[in-house]
Amino acid sequence: MIRFSATRRWALKLGATAFAAALTLAAPLQPSSAASPQKPVKIGFSMALTGGLAGAGKAALIAMEIWRDDINKAGGLLGRPVEFVYYDDQTNPSTVPGIYTKLLTLDNVDLVVSGYATNMVAPAMPIVMSRKMVFMSLFGLAVNEKFHYPNYFQIMPAGPHPRSDWSAGFFDIGMAQTPKPATVALVGADAEFARNALDGARENANKAGLKIVYDKTYPAATADFTPIVRAIQAEAPDMVFIASYPPDSAGMVRAINEVGLKAKLLGGGMVGLQYASLLSKLGASLNGIVNYDFWVPEPTLKFEGVEEFLKKYQERAKGQGVDPLGYYLPPYAYAYLQLLGNAVNAVGSLDQQKLADYIRSHTHKTVVGDVTFAPNGEWSTPRALMVQFQGVDDSGLEQFTHAGKRVVLWPEQWKSGTLHYPYAQ
């Protein structure tokens, strides 16, 4: 078992501003000793262990450690033990370039993977690209649209056109109703993820022939969402697509219930409504919302190995202050390492180009199902689920461990129930 040492300061000065920030802010968490006489395969990454995304980042790290322990128990990679070298990016994108520079120039890691979320994935790209490394990405929305990097692979099932695929299910569900919705409101945070999601929603709305009656972002520091919801209500949209981060999502749900928003379909891109903490807090106020998700305990989503993984995760998560269920991010944090590790053993080498070629040309069995990549490194087929909260009460978290509370509506292949429509009733 690998133990991690306490913080020590880096002394080297490389000159770059971002790296200097990382020297000051990031807490290096490196192995204190190597128990095996074999040279380990070192996998480097940043992770949000403090700051706004720390809850998800810590949960992802637990999942990654489960994979590391599983693979080491099975003989490691290329017969060598796997060791992690990682640093806290503090949910601060400015620390990320420095962290990946250090991982690749001083720590000399063999493989790199991304930290969690779009804002942390994008700043690592130029560093990783300069070394021509394979880069497995953990929930970066449309990041590679800017870089066109052939060795980038995204584990989030957004699809080959991530901006528009992200919200395609929401609009498909709406336009299948009778009578068809005619108007839509688009609202989201002024942040990279939300802007990307809104760009896609705008494209889907136009394609569906919907009239956009409200289209605005709000500052990331917004705390009171009631004026925003009242402004949307004044436009009386049939559909409301929301792209928000966890604190905003909670604020929006509370404001929507307070105002009594009368939309027929509502939700779409609300990050946080997958987290155990918000599920418990928001309870019955979630009913009727249709929102994206990636895994829920519905009978149509019993992928091989996922339930075994979740048992391990839930045991390790006890007392760690993280999501106790682990349905949202942890299976994918396990899967992106599972996929990379399988590629290493299949290729029989750490040659980055051979690994990239293998990953690109094969279908991969993982705990989140079969994964095949499109040429841009996104999933070749979208599988961002649209689920609807149904029959939720205020009894707490346990109810969400059973089928029927987050019913899968889209894609059709994974559907587990029918839409309750319209939302306002």
Side-chain angles (χ1 to χ4, degrees):
M1 179 178 177
I2 297 173
R3 296 173 63 84
F4 294 93
S5 66
T7 300
R8 65 181 173 83
R9 296 284 182 187
W10 302 332
L12 298 177
K13 298 179 180 178
L14 298 187
T17 301
F19 187 59
L23 290 174
T24 303
L25 298 173
L29 301 161
Q30 296 178 300
S32 57
S33 64
S36 170
Q38 296 175 289
K39 182 182 176 183
V41 174
K42 294 195 290 187
I43 301 178
F45 55 93
S46 76
M47 190 54 70
L49 302 178
T50 55
L53 296 177
K58 290 176 180 176
L61 181 59
I62 290 174
M64 296 166 77
E65 290 174 337
I66 292 172
W67 174 81
R68 180 200 59 199
D69 294 348
D70 284 349
I71 196 71
N72 282 339
K73 194 178 296 182
L77 297 181
L78 308 177
R80 295 157 53 186
V82 171
E83 183 178 290
F84 287 166
V85 183
Y86 61 91
Y87 300 90
D88 178 10
D89 61 36
Q90 304 173 34
T91 319
N92 182 348
S94 72
T95 68
V96 173
I99 289 174
Y100 280 85
T101 299
K102 184 175 189 302
L103 288 168
L104 291 169
T105 61
L106 299 179
D107 297 322
N108 294 314
V109 299
D110 300 292
L111 302 163
V112 287
V113 295
S114 85
Y116 167 58
T118 307
N119 294 354
M120 306 300 135
V121 177
M125 289 290 284
I127 311 301
V128 173
M129 291 168 64
S130 71
R131 300 293 291 264
K132 297 182 170 52
M133 302 290 287
V134 168
F135 198 40
M136 297 299 305
S137 169
L138 185 63
F139 286 27
L141 180 61
V143 169
N144 208 25
E145 288 187 5
K146 296 178 182 175
F147 298 100
H148 306 288
Y149 182 48
N151 293 354
Y152 171 92
F153 301 98
Q154 164 62 262
I155 196 62
M156 184 172 65
H161 309 290
R163 285 177 196 262
S164 55
D165 287 341
W166 180 261
S167 55
F170 183 79
F171 285 91
D172 281 358
I173 291 168
M175 299 314 292
Q177 305 311 307
T178 304
K180 291 183 185 297
T183 58
V184 62
L186 309 177
V187 60
D190 187 11
E192 184 161 359
F193 155 73
R195 288 194 297 270
N196 289 345
L198 288 173
D199 285 347
R202 203 171 292 117
E203 181 180 331
N204 284 319
N206 289 328
K207 194 184 300 180
L210 290 163
K211 181 182 179 183
I212 300 174
V213 295
Y214 183 99
D215 188 354
K216 293 183 180 180
T217 59
Y218 53 80
T222 298
D224 182 5
F225 291 87
T226 303
I228 296 171
V229 174
R230 290 193 189 283
I232 293 171
Q233 179 81 308
E235 301 296 337
D238 292 328
M239 298 171 61
V240 180
F241 179 85
I242 304 167
S244 51
Y245 276 120
D248 327 353
S249 298
M252 288 293 285
V253 171
R254 292 188 179 106
I256 286 164
N257 280 271
E258 178 184 330
V259 172
L261 188 60
K262 300 298 183 187
K264 295 175 181 173
L265 193 67
L266 183 152
M270 304 177 77
V271 181
L273 301 192
Q274 307 79 12
Y275 299 175
S277 57
L278 289 188
L279 295 176
S280 296
K281 288 178 183 174
L282 296 173
S285 64
L286 293 165
N287 281 323
I289 292 174
V290 174
N291 199 44
Y292 85 94
D293 214 319
F294 297 130
W295 193 86
V296 288
E298 291 294 298
T300 54
L301 300 174
K302 303 290 187 185
F303 305 120
E304 183 177 353
V306 69
E307 291 178 313
E308 179 185 354
F309 161 74
L310 287 169
K311 284 181 183 174
K312 291 180 181 177
Y313 170 85
Q314 289 166 7
E315 186 61 33
R316 291 204 192 190
K318 290 177 181 174
Q320 300 299 312
V322 298
D323 188 321
L325 300 182
Y327 295 162
Y328 176 59
L329 180 62
Y332 289 84
Y334 186 97
Y336 84 147
L337 289 176
Q338 183 184 21
L339 193 158
L340 180 61
N342 289 347
V344 169
N345 280 337
V347 169
S349 146
L350 294 170
D351 183 288
Q352 298 294 307
Q353 195 53 54
K354 288 180 180 176
L355 289 173
D357 291 343
Y358 179 87
I359 293 171
R360 190 179 301 111
S361 59
H362 287 72
T363 296
H364 307 277
K365 299 266 181 208
T366 77
V367 296
V368 298
D370 289 355
V371 179
T372 304
F373 292 103
N376 64 354
E378 302 287 347
W379 281 39
S380 60
T381 303
R383 205 194 68 197
L385 308 172
M386 282 293 154
V387 306
Q388 184 176 42
F389 292 92
Q390 296 181 358
V392 178
D393 56 35
D394 293 326
S395 65
L397 188 60
E398 199 276 338
Q399 63 185 313
F400 293 100
T401 64
H402 305 293
K405 298 299 180 183
R406 285 180 286 178
V407 173
V408 179
L409 304 174
W410 192 95
E412 185 70 24
Q413 180 182 359
W414 312 106
K415 187 174 179 180
S416 64
T418 56
L419 174 69
H420 291 183
Y421 182 86
Y423 164 78
Q425 289 186 353

